[in-house]
Amino acid sequence: DSGVTQTPKHLITATGQRVTLRCSPRSGDLSVYWYQQSLDQGLQFLIQYYNGEERAKGNILERFSAQQFPDLHSELNLSSLELGDSALYFCASSVEAGGGELFFGEGSRLTVL
Amino acid sequence: GQNIDQPTEMTATEGAIVQINCTYQTSGFNGLFWYQQHAGEAPTFLSYNVLDGLEEKGRFSSFLSRSKGYSYLLLKELQMKDSASYLCAVIHKAAGNKLTFGGGTRVLVKP
Protein backbone atom coordinates (compact mmCIF):
# COMPACT_ATOMS: atom_id res chain seq x y z
CA ASP A 1 0.00 0.00 0.00
CA SER A 2 1.60 3.21 -1.22
CA GLY A 3 -0.60 5.48 0.90
CA VAL A 4 -2.03 7.20 -2.19
CA THR A 5 -5.77 6.73 -2.56
CA GLN A 6 -7.65 7.05 -5.81
CA THR A 7 -11.38 6.89 -6.42
CA PRO A 8 -13.23 5.51 -8.21
CA LYS A 9 -11.30 2.37 -9.10
CA HIS A 10 -13.47 1.70 -12.13
CA LEU A 11 -15.73 3.97 -14.12
CA ILE A 12 -17.77 3.28 -17.22
CA THR A 13 -19.41 6.15 -19.03
CA ALA A 14 -20.54 7.27 -22.47
CA THR A 15 -18.98 9.55 -25.03
CA GLY A 16 -19.65 13.22 -24.44
CA GLN A 17 -19.94 12.80 -20.70
CA ARG A 18 -17.84 14.33 -17.94
CA VAL A 19 -16.16 12.54 -15.04
CA THR A 20 -14.09 13.51 -12.03
CA LEU A 21 -11.28 11.37 -10.66
CA ARG A 22 -10.12 11.95 -7.13
CA CYS A 23 -6.74 11.47 -5.47
CA SER A 24 -5.57 11.73 -1.88
CA PRO A 25 -1.78 11.89 -1.61
CA ARG A 26 0.34 10.23 1.05
CA SER A 27 0.29 12.00 4.36
CA GLY A 28 2.90 14.77 4.24
CA ASP A 29 3.32 14.78 0.46
CA LEU A 30 2.74 18.17 -1.12
CA SER A 31 3.13 17.20 -4.78
CA VAL A 32 0.50 15.41 -6.81
CA TYR A 33 1.00 14.13 -10.34
CA TRP A 34 -1.51 12.76 -12.83
CA TYR A 35 -0.56 10.23 -15.50
CA GLN A 36 -2.57 8.57 -18.24
CA GLN A 37 -1.81 5.03 -19.38
CA SER A 38 -3.65 3.68 -22.38
CA LEU A 39 -3.71 -0.07 -23.11
CA ASP A 40 -0.19 -1.41 -23.50
CA GLN A 41 1.22 2.12 -23.52
CA GLY A 42 3.64 3.93 -21.30
CA LEU A 43 2.75 6.49 -18.67
CA GLN A 44 1.95 9.86 -20.17
CA PHE A 45 2.46 12.78 -17.81
CA LEU A 46 -0.55 15.05 -17.66
CA ILE A 47 -0.03 17.60 -14.90
CA GLN A 48 1.62 18.25 -11.55
CA TYR A 49 0.51 20.32 -8.58
CA TYR A 50 2.58 21.37 -5.61
CA ASN A 51 0.93 22.73 -2.49
CA GLY A 52 -2.11 23.88 -4.41
CA GLU A 53 -0.32 25.46 -7.36
CA GLU A 54 0.17 24.07 -10.83
CA ARG A 55 3.83 23.12 -11.14
CA ALA A 56 4.27 21.44 -14.51
CA LYS A 57 2.10 20.60 -17.45
CA GLY A 58 2.48 17.72 -19.86
CA ASN A 59 0.35 16.46 -22.70
CA ILE A 60 -2.96 17.34 -21.11
CA LEU A 61 -5.86 17.98 -23.44
CA GLU A 62 -7.89 21.17 -23.16
CA ARG A 63 -10.92 19.00 -22.34
CA PHE A 64 -9.10 17.90 -19.19
CA SER A 65 -8.48 20.03 -16.12
CA ALA A 66 -7.20 19.46 -12.64
CA GLN A 67 -6.81 21.18 -9.34
CA GLN A 68 -5.31 20.61 -5.92
CA PHE A 69 -7.31 21.69 -2.92
CA PRO A 70 -6.11 23.19 0.39
CA ASP A 71 -6.26 19.77 2.03
CA LEU A 72 -3.89 18.63 -0.78
CA HIS A 73 -6.25 16.17 -2.41
CA SER A 74 -6.52 16.57 -6.15
CA GLU A 75 -9.19 16.07 -8.77
CA LEU A 76 -8.82 15.42 -12.48
CA ASN A 77 -11.81 16.46 -14.55
CA LEU A 78 -12.32 14.88 -17.95
CA SER A 79 -15.04 16.35 -20.15
CA SER A 80 -16.55 15.75 -23.60
CA LEU A 81 -15.22 12.23 -23.30
CA GLU A 82 -14.13 10.33 -26.38
CA LEU A 83 -13.51 6.63 -26.92
CA GLY A 84 -9.78 7.30 -26.95
CA ASP A 85 -9.90 8.64 -23.40
CA SER A 86 -10.39 5.10 -22.13
CA ALA A 87 -7.31 4.43 -20.04
CA LEU A 88 -5.89 3.94 -16.58
CA TYR A 89 -5.39 7.25 -14.83
CA PHE A 90 -2.76 7.17 -12.13
CA CYS A 91 -2.17 9.68 -9.43
CA ALA A 92 1.20 9.83 -7.71
CA SER A 93 2.54 11.92 -4.88
CA SER A 94 5.92 12.98 -3.59
CA VAL A 95 7.28 15.09 -0.80
CA GLU A 96 9.20 17.48 -3.00
CA ALA A 97 8.15 19.75 -5.82
CA GLY A 98 10.91 18.57 -8.08
CA GLY A 99 12.00 15.01 -8.52
CA GLY A 100 12.14 12.45 -5.79
CA GLU A 101 10.45 9.10 -5.58
CA LEU A 102 6.85 9.00 -6.70
CA PHE A 103 4.32 6.88 -4.87
CA PHE A 104 1.51 5.73 -7.11
CA GLY A 105 -2.11 5.08 -6.36
CA GLU A 106 -3.85 1.99 -7.69
CA GLY A 107 -5.29 3.96 -10.58
CA SER A 108 -8.75 4.70 -11.89
CA ARG A 109 -9.76 2.66 -14.92
CA LEU A 110 -11.98 4.71 -17.19
CA THR A 111 -13.94 3.04 -19.96
CA VAL A 112 -15.76 5.26 -22.44
CA LEU A 113 -18.40 3.47 -24.51
CA GLY B 1 14.03 17.20 -26.19
CA GLN B 2 13.14 14.52 -23.74
CA ASN B 3 13.45 11.12 -25.40
CA ILE B 4 13.65 7.89 -23.46
CA ASP B 5 14.21 4.64 -25.32
CA GLN B 6 14.00 1.12 -23.98
CA PRO B 7 13.23 -2.20 -25.69
CA THR B 8 9.59 -3.10 -25.97
CA GLU B 9 9.82 -6.68 -24.86
CA MET B 10 12.31 -9.25 -23.55
CA THR B 11 12.01 -12.93 -22.74
CA ALA B 12 14.18 -14.82 -20.28
CA THR B 13 14.25 -18.11 -18.42
CA GLU B 14 13.59 -18.58 -14.74
CA GLY B 15 16.84 -18.41 -12.79
CA ALA B 16 18.63 -16.48 -15.53
CA ILE B 17 19.76 -12.85 -15.73
CA VAL B 18 18.20 -10.14 -17.87
CA GLN B 19 19.53 -6.65 -18.57
CA ILE B 20 17.12 -3.91 -19.63
CA ASN B 21 18.76 -0.94 -21.28
CA CYS B 22 17.50 2.62 -21.27
CA THR B 23 18.91 5.53 -23.23
CA TYR B 24 17.76 9.07 -22.78
CA GLN B 25 18.20 12.58 -24.08
CA THR B 26 17.32 15.43 -21.81
CA SER B 27 17.84 19.13 -21.40
CA GLY B 28 19.23 18.87 -17.91
CA PHE B 29 19.47 15.51 -16.18
CA ASN B 30 18.53 15.30 -12.53
CA GLY B 31 18.12 11.61 -11.82
CA LEU B 32 16.79 8.35 -13.22
CA PHE B 33 14.29 5.92 -11.75
CA TRP B 34 13.34 2.35 -12.51
CA TYR B 35 9.81 1.23 -11.68
CA GLN B 36 8.18 -2.18 -11.94
CA GLN B 37 4.59 -2.44 -13.11
CA HIS B 38 2.51 -5.59 -13.20
CA ALA B 39 -0.34 -5.52 -15.69
CA GLY B 40 -3.20 -3.34 -14.51
CA GLU B 41 -1.42 -2.39 -11.31
CA ALA B 42 0.37 0.70 -10.04
CA PRO B 43 4.08 1.16 -10.74
CA THR B 44 6.29 0.44 -7.77
CA PHE B 45 9.70 1.94 -7.11
CA LEU B 46 12.78 -0.19 -7.77
CA SER B 47 15.79 2.11 -7.88
CA TYR B 48 17.08 5.64 -8.21
CA ASN B 49 20.40 6.74 -9.76
CA VAL B 50 21.68 10.28 -9.86
CA LEU B 51 25.45 9.65 -9.92
CA ASP B 52 27.40 7.39 -12.25
CA GLY B 53 27.84 3.83 -11.17
CA LEU B 54 26.03 0.75 -9.99
CA GLU B 55 23.38 0.62 -7.30
CA GLU B 56 22.66 -2.87 -6.01
CA LYS B 57 19.56 -3.88 -4.13
CA GLY B 58 19.12 -7.60 -3.69
CA ARG B 59 18.45 -9.33 -7.00
CA PHE B 60 18.06 -5.98 -8.77
CA SER B 61 20.87 -3.61 -9.76
CA SER B 62 20.77 -0.37 -11.70
CA PHE B 63 23.63 1.32 -13.51
CA LEU B 64 23.96 4.88 -14.77
CA SER B 65 26.36 6.64 -17.13
CA ARG B 66 25.40 10.29 -17.40
CA SER B 67 27.96 11.06 -20.11
CA LYS B 68 26.43 8.38 -22.33
CA GLY B 69 22.81 9.06 -21.39
CA TYR B 70 22.51 5.39 -20.55
CA SER B 71 21.19 3.22 -17.77
CA TYR B 72 20.43 -0.43 -17.33
CA LEU B 73 18.43 -2.49 -14.88
CA LEU B 74 19.83 -5.93 -14.14
CA LEU B 75 17.53 -8.62 -12.82
CA LYS B 76 19.29 -11.68 -11.45
CA GLU B 77 17.98 -15.11 -10.47
CA LEU B 78 14.78 -14.43 -12.32
CA GLN B 79 11.54 -15.61 -10.78
CA MET B 80 8.18 -16.06 -12.45
CA LYS B 81 6.82 -13.14 -10.43
CA ASP B 82 9.35 -10.86 -12.14
CA SER B 83 7.23 -11.02 -15.29
CA ALA B 84 6.15 -7.39 -15.54
CA SER B 85 6.86 -4.13 -17.32
CA TYR B 86 9.92 -2.19 -16.25
CA LEU B 87 9.74 1.55 -16.68
CA CYS B 88 12.72 3.85 -17.00
CA ALA B 89 11.95 7.43 -15.93
CA VAL B 90 14.13 10.53 -16.10
CA ILE B 91 13.93 13.76 -14.15
CA HIS B 92 14.38 16.75 -16.45
CA LYS B 93 15.76 19.72 -14.57
CA ALA B 94 15.03 22.23 -17.33
CA ALA B 95 11.40 21.15 -17.36
CA GLY B 96 10.88 21.98 -13.73
CA ASN B 97 12.16 18.59 -12.59
CA LYS B 98 9.40 16.83 -14.48
CA LEU B 99 9.55 13.03 -14.35
CA THR B 100 9.08 11.49 -17.80
CA PHE B 101 8.61 7.78 -18.36
CA GLY B 102 9.82 5.62 -21.20
CA GLY B 103 7.42 3.25 -22.89
CA GLY B 104 8.43 0.38 -20.62
CA THR B 105 9.97 -3.00 -21.30
CA ARG B 106 7.73 -6.02 -20.89
CA VAL B 107 9.73 -8.90 -19.45
CA LEU B 108 8.33 -12.39 -19.78
CA VAL B 109 9.93 -15.03 -17.55
CA LYS B 110 9.49 -18.58 -18.81
CA PRO B 111 9.93 -21.75 -16.76
Side-chain angles (χ1 to χ4, degrees):
Chain A
D1 182 8
S2 67
V4 178
T5 304
Q6 286 188 249
T7 56
K9 285 188 170 36
H10 301 276
L11 190 56
I12 301 175
T13 189
T15 54
Q17 295 298 305
R18 172 190 170 95
V19 298
T20 297
L21 309 181
R22 193 179 191 279
C23 170
S24 294
R26 283 191 328 156
S27 177
D29 284 359
L30 299 179
S31 245
V32 170
Y33 307 75
W34 286 98
Y35 286 87
Q36 179 194 54
Q37 188 173 42
S38 301
L39 190 62
D40 293 333
Q41 299 293 312
L43 287 164
Q44 298 296 318
F45 171 69
L46 294 178
I47 199 164
Q48 178 202 357
Y49 282 84
Y50 177 76
N51 205 21
E53 299 289 327
E54 183 181 303
R55 173 81 177 185
K57 213 166 187 175
N59 301 320
I60 187 166
L61 300 172
E62 284 192 11
R63 299 183 287 109
F64 296 1
S65 65
Q67 56 184 324
Q68 186 180 28
F69 294 87
D71 67 352
L72 301 178
H73 91 270
S74 178
E75 292 181 356
L76 178 67
N77 301 296
L78 317 174
S79 61
S80 303
L81 285 168
E82 302 175 358
L83 296 178
D85 297 328
S86 295
L88 257 175
Y89 291 85
F90 285 105
C91 169
S93 73
S94 68
V95 173
E96 302 165 2
E101 181 182 347
L102 298 190
F103 296 86
F104 283 83
E106 295 296 314
S108 292
R109 182 175 293 282
L110 173 66
T111 302
V112 182
L113 300 177
Chain B
Q2 298 158 9
N3 295 324
I4 302 173
D5 292 312
Q6 46 181 136
T8 306
E9 200 167 286
M10 301 181 74
T11 302
T13 305
E14 193 175 14
I17 298 174
V18 69
Q19 177 174 314
I20 306 169
N21 296 323
C22 172
T23 57
Y24 62 88
Q25 297 171 339
T26 178
S27 48
F29 174 84
N30 208 19
L32 185 146
F33 288 89
W34 284 96
Y35 279 81
Q36 180 192 60
Q37 186 181 25
H38 287 97
E41 297 183 10
T44 54
F45 170 81
L46 288 179
S47 69
Y48 172 63
N49 295 71
V50 66
L51 300 176
D52 291 350
L54 187 68
E55 296 281 340
E56 296 186 84
K57 191 185 292 185
R59 295 188 297 114
F60 294 0
S61 305
S62 57
F63 171 83
L64 175 67
S65 169
R66 288 172 297 171
S67 63
K68 294 180 179 171
Y70 167 69
S71 172
Y72 68 71
L73 179 70
L74 195 69
L75 315 180
K76 301 178 215 174
E77 300 168 20
L78 280 171
Q79 301 176 9
M80 299 301 290
K81 68 178 182 179
D82 297 329
S83 292
S85 286
Y86 292 85
L87 312 175
C88 173
V90 173
I91 302 172
H92 307 278
K93 190 187 306 182
N97 283 324
K98 185 174 73 174
L99 184 66
T100 302
F101 284 82
T105 299
R106 189 181 306 173
V107 171
L108 177 61
V109 180
K110 294 186 172 179

